[in-house]
Structure formats: structure tokens, C-alpha cells
Amino acid sequence: MNLIELQRSLRQLRLGGIAAVLETRLHQAQAEAMAPIDLISCLVADELNRRSERLLDRRRKQAQFRDPQRTLDNYDFTFNPKMNRSLVFDLATCAFIGKREDALFLGPGGTGKSHLVQAIGQAAIQQGYRVMYRETHVLLENLADAIVDGTRKEFMETLTTVPLLIIDDFGMRKLPPSAAEDLLEIAMRRYERASTLLTSNRPVEDWGKLLGDVAAVTAMLDRLLHHGHVLKCGPRSWRTKTASAGGAQ
């Protein structure tokens, strides 16, 4: 069996990671007089690394981040220096997911809430967790579509079991009349079973009026805050600051 045939056979065995680097590793083995066990170890490591990267890529796509490039490395903590950095980095360790805790990110628009929750979501994927990201109105639209398709039960099961659910931009858009009941059901199903991050530009005191159901909102907050963290972002808006700087220039 020559090299090309061997590579083809490796791909048939779904060992594409080894097939991709086989020729390079064989040259390395000759140049460095590698022992057979060392060559095999390198090839197995190459395959495992490729599978790990493919799994991460698949989970990033499944998460459906709005801004997949958002990370803590490109977040400007100096802009709002009073932000609780310690809490942000604690959440980024993802220990809260193992404890099935939740977190609310509150503050005016443009203060970095969406950036931070997506960055934490990326960190969670790196640590092996499945993540689902949805803007609030999109999540409720997905749920409405599932009702029409007759797949509500399956969709709710997905919402219940994903280890980290990120609900972004609560309060940014007008929501359907069923929003309070739907969000409460999601919170109840996930309570002490999985972790939720939620961002809002509205103070929690306004949520009852926003959804038109104070009782449902109270019950939802009771669950989110029982094992929850609250991060206050702001008050300065990064987008406003950037726009002002651009105008000045």
C-alpha cells in the first residue's frame, strides 16, 4: 500500500486528522530517527487535536452567537472601571455552570452586556459545554415556530437540557403577549438543572410592567436570583463614546 492508498484508507476509517499530516510526520520520523511508538503517538495526538477542534467549531455554530468574535481579550474593561471584573472572570471560569447557577447582566445599551455574555459563552464551549445563544425576541419566535411545526416539546427539551442558555437583549423589543408565561416556563424548567445568562437594559423593577404579568415575572426572578449573580454594567455607553470620538475627528 503506497502513501496515497494509505491516506485514502485512513479517511475511510474516519481518521482524517492522521491522513492530513501523515506525509509530514513520515518525513519527520525519517529526519529525527523517531521510534515507531513516538511516530504513532504523534499521529494519534494529531487526530485527537483535529477532532477536538472540529467539535469546538461545531458547538460554536450550534450556539449561533450574534458576534462570534467577542471574547474577554477584546473587551475594554477600562471604559467602565467600576464594573465588577472579579465576577466577570469568575463566570468565565464556568464554575457556575457546574453549580447550575444563573446570572443577570443589567445596564443601559452599549455598556458591553452582550459582549460579555458571548465571551463567557465562548469560554464555556472551550471547556466542553454546549451553549445556546438567542436574543429574547428570536428565542420567543423560535418557540412560536415550534408550536406551528408541532415540535414544541422537542424544542423545550433542548432549552431545558443545554448546559448554558444565553438570553440577550431582554427589553429591547416589544414581545408577544405570551412572553411572560413562556419565559417563566423556561426559567422553571432550567431551575437548578442548568445555567442561564440574561441581559437587559431595563431594571428588574420594570419587568412586570414590560411583560404585563407581575406574578409571572416575580416567579421567574425568584428562580433566576435564587442561585444567581447580578452584574451591573455601565453607566457609560461604548457605542455613544465611539460615535462622539468619530464626530470629533
Side-chain angles (χ1 to χ4, degrees):
M1 184 180 292
N2 59 33
L3 179 62
I4 294 176
E5 292 171 338
L6 181 55
Q7 289 172 323
R8 185 183 302 118
S9 297
L10 287 168
R11 291 191 176 94
Q12 289 177 345
L13 292 169
R14 297 184 179 180
L15 296 172
I18 293 178
V21 299
L22 179 61
E23 186 173 5
T24 300
R25 288 301 190 189
L26 288 175
H27 287 310
Q28 179 186 2
Q30 291 177 340
E32 300 178 5
M34 294 175 65
I37 188 65
D38 294 332
L39 172 59
I40 294 172
S41 296
C42 286
L43 291 170
V44 171
D46 292 330
E47 179 66 33
L48 292 175
N49 288 336
R50 174 167 173 168
R51 292 190 181 194
S52 177
E53 286 300 318
R54 292 180 68 179
L55 176 61
L56 292 176
D57 288 341
R58 185 163 63 251
R59 286 187 172 172
R60 290 187 189 105
K61 291 178 182 178
Q62 291 172 344
Q64 298 185 29
F65 294 115
R66 183 178 63 198
D67 307 298
Q69 75 282 4
R70 303 299 191 194
T71 67
L72 290 183
D73 290 337
N74 54 35
Y75 184 80
D76 184 5
F77 283 98
T78 63
F79 183 62
N80 280 305
K82 293 184 179 180
M83 182 181 292
N84 187 344
R85 295 191 192 189
S86 178
L87 176 56
V88 172
F89 285 105
D90 281 347
L91 292 172
T93 68
C94 299
F96 79 101
I97 300 178
K99 298 175 183 177
R100 297 173 178 82
E101 297 173 346
D102 307 309
L104 302 182
F105 289 65
L106 307 175
T111 52
K113 302 182 300 297
S114 295
H115 187 140
L116 288 173
V117 293
Q118 289 180 92
I120 292 169
Q122 293 281 7
I125 289 174
Q126 287 285 347
Q127 295 181 52
Y129 291 105
R130 291 182 297 110
V131 177
M132 177 187 288
Y133 168 91
R134 293 290 189 278
E135 294 170 280
T136 307
H137 72 281
V138 174
L139 176 64
L140 295 174
E141 287 171 0
N142 291 163
L143 184 55
D145 291 341
I147 294 173
V148 174
D149 296 340
T151 58
R152 186 184 191 278
K153 182 178 179 180
E154 292 79 0
F155 185 64
M156 287 301 301
E157 182 65 19
T158 299
L159 291 179
T160 302
T161 58
V162 66
L164 178 60
L165 174 64
I166 301 174
I167 305 176
D168 200 5
D169 289 339
F170 175 75
M172 289 290 288
R173 296 195 185 192
K174 185 176 181 180
L175 300 176
S178 62
E181 292 182 2
D182 291 337
L183 291 172
L184 173 59
E185 181 179 356
I186 293 169
M188 290 177 64
R189 284 173 175 262
R190 294 182 60 77
Y191 176 61
E192 295 187 332
R193 294 184 180 90
S195 295
T196 304
L197 300 182
L198 188 149
T199 78
S200 179
N201 67 335
R202 304 287 188 92
V204 293
E205 295 81 8
D206 293 350
W207 289 14
K209 185 185 300 182
L210 179 68
L211 293 177
D213 191 332
V214 174
V217 168
T218 300
M220 179 176 71
L221 283 171
D222 182 61
R223 286 161 176 78
L224 290 174
L225 295 175
H226 182 208
H227 304 295
H229 308 272
V230 177
L231 181 73
K232 295 184 178 179
C233 304
R236 302 176 66 197
S237 167
W238 174 257
R239 285 191 289 269
T240 302
K241 179 249 187 185
T242 304
S244 299
Q249 292 174 2

